[in-house]
Amino acid sequence: MFKGLGTALITPFKENGDVDYQLFEKILDHQLENNVDALIVMGTTGESPTIHFEERKELTKMAVAKADGELPVIIGTGTNDTVKVVEMNEMAEEQGADGLLIVTPYYNKTSQAGLVDHYTYVAERTELPIIVYNVPSRTGVNIEAKTFKEMADKADNIVAIKEASGDMSQILDVISLTGDKSTILSGNDDQAMPLMMSGGSGVISVLSNLLPGVMKEICDHILGEDYPAARELYYKYHRLMQLIFIDVNPIPIKFAMAQIGLANNNLRRPLIKLSSKNQEILLEEMRRLEII
């Protein structure tokens, strides 16, 4: 799908709760100006569970038009209803998306065998390449390394995994078993460097909403095997990488983006705004880094 930096884009909302398409265009411009390697629309950071079908269509259309074939646009289409995933994939195809990000079924969950069945069923019904998204802290189900290998072996268009399990031992198993065939991407900013230095290909980043240039530079240094330069930047921003998860994503990153004029800090329920206490913690670190 891509190597390096993909940004998991926020979805901006107006005060009345409508999608702020004008602000979304500015966010896209910010990413393109900083030469990110991929745009990921309507992932977790984009509040995908609360984005309605017509909104999905418009956001996809805008991202595809703005990218203009220069970099891949990957659309989050995963739900816990396999048939609905297929429908979402069809919409993404129709709007010109380059790839799909599909999270594991949540709440109803499934077994490891069920995961293989779910993903291969979906893969057989789209021509687009698929990034499997493993985030057990949100879904309650983990994709084991051998399970991902099985599904990737069965479906040629299952080409990558976004690993957000947080379990580096498991991630190394995934790289060992599938890294010669599949793209392994970090789903956590603060694990991007160790994952990439261990054979992974990149990161789907939340922080890069705010600092795409910084995250791009870190990724480029690693891919260019300039590890000292990568470490210097990584550790400079490591605390901020952690603080953008001081509350449920994307609550903190939306607050941070509002400080530079690229978000209006509105979320859709059940998410609420960052607490005053956590706002001050985040602001202090942003001031230390001279972001504001």
Side-chain angles (χ1 to χ4, degrees):
M1 288 297 299
F2 69 93
K3 284 188 175 184
L5 173 64
T7 301
L9 296 167
I10 65 168
T11 303
F13 302 118
K14 299 177 181 178
E15 290 292 335
N16 66 0
D18 291 346
V19 174
D20 191 332
Y21 294 110
Q22 185 175 2
L23 189 51
F24 185 64
E25 185 172 11
K26 291 182 180 179
I27 291 168
L28 292 171
D29 286 335
H30 181 56
Q31 296 298 312
L32 296 175
E33 287 163 6
N34 284 277
N35 300 310
V36 301
D37 299 298
L39 300 172
I40 291 82
V41 183
M42 290 173 290
T44 303
T45 311
E47 296 176 68
S48 55
T50 63
I51 306 298
H52 309 308
F53 189 82
E54 289 302 318
E55 293 170 335
R56 285 176 169 273
K57 186 183 293 187
E58 183 62 23
L59 290 165
T60 302
K61 182 179 179 181
M62 287 181 66
V64 169
K66 186 66 71 171
D68 195 26
E70 295 297 316
L71 72 168
V73 175
I74 299 157
I75 306 300
T77 58
T79 80
N80 58 352
D81 179 342
T82 306
V83 173
K84 188 174 180 181
V85 176
V86 172
E87 293 172 355
M88 294 289 193
N89 292 347
E90 290 171 353
M91 180 277 291
E93 284 192 61
E94 290 169 2
Q95 297 304 316
D98 300 291
L100 307 166
L101 177 69
I102 302 180
V103 74
T104 53
Y106 43 84
Y107 186 66
N108 51 2
K109 302 166 61 175
T110 190
S111 64
Q112 295 299 301
L115 288 172
V116 174
D117 178 75
H118 171 77
Y119 280 102
T120 54
Y121 180 93
V122 168
E124 289 167 357
R125 288 158 178 80
T126 182
E127 295 183 359
L128 292 179
I130 292 169
I131 301 175
V132 173
Y133 181 11
N134 188 34
V135 57
S137 63
R138 284 184 179 262
T139 64
V141 59
N142 177 52
I143 302 174
E144 297 174 4
K146 61 183 180 181
T147 302
F148 176 66
K149 183 179 187 305
E150 183 178 352
M151 63 177 70
D153 286 344
K154 286 187 172 184
D156 288 341
N157 59 335
I158 295 178
V159 299
I161 185 167
K162 175 186 177 182
E163 248 296 351
S165 66
D167 183 343
M168 280 304 300
S169 179
Q170 172 175 293
I171 293 168
L172 292 176
D173 285 343
V174 173
I175 293 171
S176 176
L177 284 174
T178 67
D180 59 336
K181 176 184 177 183
S182 302
T183 300
I184 317 300
L185 302 164
S186 178
N188 295 322
D189 284 274
D190 64 353
Q191 291 185 331
M193 186 172 73
L195 181 147
M196 291 179 68
M197 291 175 70
S198 300
S201 296
V203 59
I204 294 180
S205 170
V206 176
L207 182 61
S208 60
N209 279 279
L210 181 69
L211 298 173
V214 168
M215 291 304 298
K216 171 68 173 170
E217 193 173 352
I218 290 171
C219 289
D220 285 352
H221 284 320
I222 297 171
L223 292 173
E225 299 184 4
D226 187 352
Y227 300 132
R231 283 195 294 268
E232 182 179 356
L233 263 184
Y234 174 82
Y235 286 117
K236 177 179 179 179
Y237 291 94
H238 186 254
R239 176 165 166 75
L240 184 60
M241 292 177 189
Q242 295 177 320
L243 288 179
I244 58 168
F245 293 95
I246 197 171
D247 202 334
V248 175
N249 181 43
I251 292 171
I253 191 63
K254 277 200 158 179
F255 173 77
M257 292 281 282
Q259 309 313 304
I260 63 168
L262 283 177
N264 35 30
N265 197 30
N266 295 318
L267 302 110
R268 282 185 173 169
R269 289 182 174 88
L271 300 184
I272 60 173
K273 293 181 180 181
L274 193 65
S275 69
S276 297
K277 176 183 177 182
N278 286 338
Q279 284 182 22
E280 193 49 49
I281 292 171
L282 192 51
L283 286 171
E284 181 181 358
E285 184 65 9
M286 292 177 71
R287 293 187 194 105
R288 186 186 75 82
L289 293 168
E290 299 182 344
I291 298 169
I292 55 173

